Amino acid sequence: MRRMAIILMMLGCLAGASQPAFSAKAGFFTGPDKAFNISTCIYGTIGFATMAYYMYKNSPAQRAKGYPEELGPGEWYLAAYTGVSYLPSADWKFANDFPAPLSTVTGLPLGGAAQYAGRTAKNIEYKPGILGGIKFGRFLDAYPWLGWEMETSFSRNRIRGDQGSISPPVPGGPANLMGGSDWFMIWAMQTNLVARYGFLKDKEVTFGRLQPYVGIGPGLEIIYCRWDSAKNLAIETMGGVRYMFTPKIALFCEYKFSYQFAVEYQNFIPAKYGYGGTMTFDVPHHRFVLGVSYHFKSLYGN
């Protein structure tokens, strides 16, 4: 039962990662984030329904009726990892409704929204950061080379100040977008379909101690910044290799890549100058991780 408690806690973390904050003035299914919110509900419902079905079918009561849990060399696993988060430099675009900056002398708008609208802040650079995550997965008994996993991770990348050259320049406005430093904290939830191959087979680990694998799947990512948060759907691919030191304990290393399209960072104030507006940009995200996994046959630990 201790193992079940750990699994339920992990699922609670995954659920929390998938629920972004939203304005009380906007309806959950009618506001500007309605597509994201609807996708989150569908995604979470399918995930929890699948997990509930597995827990039910593998319960002691069902197995007592003749449902065999251990059909082959497949297994469940829990894993924790840490590593490096790398975000390539990117161009941030001003939305068409970006408000005008205010004059530092008169306090009045400097020529209307058209001064910023449609412009681009070039080459925003992010510092590499540290990340950590957990995941829970299953390799099928009938097809032990095929499996699925759910994971959640958290990373933080700093953005240094005095960069992001605004093009074309704004007359009377700041030359650079970033007046001071900022940061990205990315909370991600992913579900991946995983395929593996086994080398170095023996009696203890029949599938093979050395297991290279690849995976792909959809995800939800929330970016917390200094002024606001942004979120969007993402797609992730990964490749890695695992070594089983025992039938239960393994060490693994992975490379992960995810991509978010057209993220909207709202209420951003360029160089702390005037009112804030919306910036849009893509977020490619590279992750290099090292972790430990615990593998087990019985979901209920008996």
Side-chain angles (χ1 to χ4, degrees), residues 4 22 24 28 56 58 68 87 99 104 130 144 172-173 189 195-196 204 206 213 247 258 266 268 271 279-280:
M4 282 305 305
F22 59 92
F28 190 75
Y56 167 73
N58 289 284
L87 298 168
T104 56
I130 301 298
M189 184 181 79
R196 64 177 178 172
E204 272 196 322
T206 57
Y213 56 90
S258 65
Q266 299 176 346
F268 186 85
M279 309 297 301
T280 62

Side-chain angles (χ1 to χ4, degrees), residues 153-194:
S153 64
F154 189 87
S155 61
R156 187 181 189 277
N157 299 78
R158 181 176 171 271
I159 307 174
R160 66 175 179 83
D162 194 27
Q163 63 166 325
S165 176
I166 298 175
S167 178
V170 178
N176 295 323
L177 179 72
M178 308 297 298
S181 64
D182 203 341
W183 35 259
F184 268 18
M185 293 191 298
I186 301 180
W187 196 352
M189 184 181 79
Q190 299 284 344
T191 297
N192 292 314
L193 186 67
V194 184

Side-chain angles (χ1 to χ4, degrees), residues 192-205:
N192 292 314
L193 186 67
V194 184
R196 64 177 178 172
Y197 192 83
F199 295 96
L200 306 180
K201 300 178 181 181
D202 57 33
K203 292 182 179 179
E204 272 196 322
V205 185

Side-chain angles (χ1 to χ4, degrees), residues 94-261:
F94 292 91
N96 290 329
D97 60 350
F98 206 98
L102 300 181
S103 169
T104 56
V105 178
T106 65
L108 299 175
L110 295 174
Q115 284 204 325
Y116 273 156
R119 281 175 162 79
T120 301
K122 298 287 189 179
N123 197 32
I124 303 295
E125 296 182 358
Y126 314 87
K127 296 292 186 181
I130 301 298
L131 67 87
I134 55 175
K135 58 182 178 178
F136 170 65
R138 167 73 165 165
F139 283 107
L140 306 180
D141 289 309
Y143 306 99
W145 55 271
L146 181 65
W148 55 265
E149 66 180 26
M150 296 185 296
E151 69 172 299
T152 185
S153 64
F154 189 87
S155 61
R156 187 181 189 277
N157 299 78
R158 181 176 171 271
I159 307 174
R160 66 175 179 83
D162 194 27
Q163 63 166 325
S165 176
I166 298 175
S167 178
V170 178
N176 295 323
L177 179 72
M178 308 297 298
S181 64
D182 203 341
W183 35 259
F184 268 18
M185 293 191 298
I186 301 180
W187 196 352
M189 184 181 79
Q190 299 284 344
T191 297
N192 292 314
L193 186 67
V194 184
R196 64 177 178 172
Y197 192 83
F199 295 96
L200 306 180
K201 300 178 181 181
D202 57 33
K203 292 182 179 179
E204 272 196 322
V205 185
T206 57
F207 187 81
R209 290 185 181 272
L210 185 64
Q211 301 176 6
Y213 56 90
V214 294
I216 187 170
L220 304 172
E221 294 189 3
I222 306 172
I223 301 174
Y224 296 97
C225 308
R226 186 179 302 276
W227 305 107
D228 195 17
S229 63
K231 63 270 187 184
N232 209 340
L233 301 176
I235 183 72
E236 178 182 272
T237 61
M238 69 172 185
V241 61
R242 176 188 299 111
Y243 185 80
M244 305 291 299
F245 288 97
T246 73
K248 293 184 178 296
I249 303 298
L251 181 69
F252 65 91
C253 60
E254 288 180 0
Y255 163 70
K256 304 171 180 290
F257 176 75
S258 65
Y259 203 100
Q260 283 181 287
F261 296 91

Side-chain angles (χ1 to χ4, degrees), residues 259-281:
Y259 203 100
Q260 283 181 287
F261 296 91
V263 172
E264 292 188 352
Y265 184 179
Q266 299 176 346
N267 301 321
F268 186 85
I269 303 175
K272 301 180 180 179
Y273 191 80
Y275 289 117
T278 300
M279 309 297 301
T280 62
F281 45 87

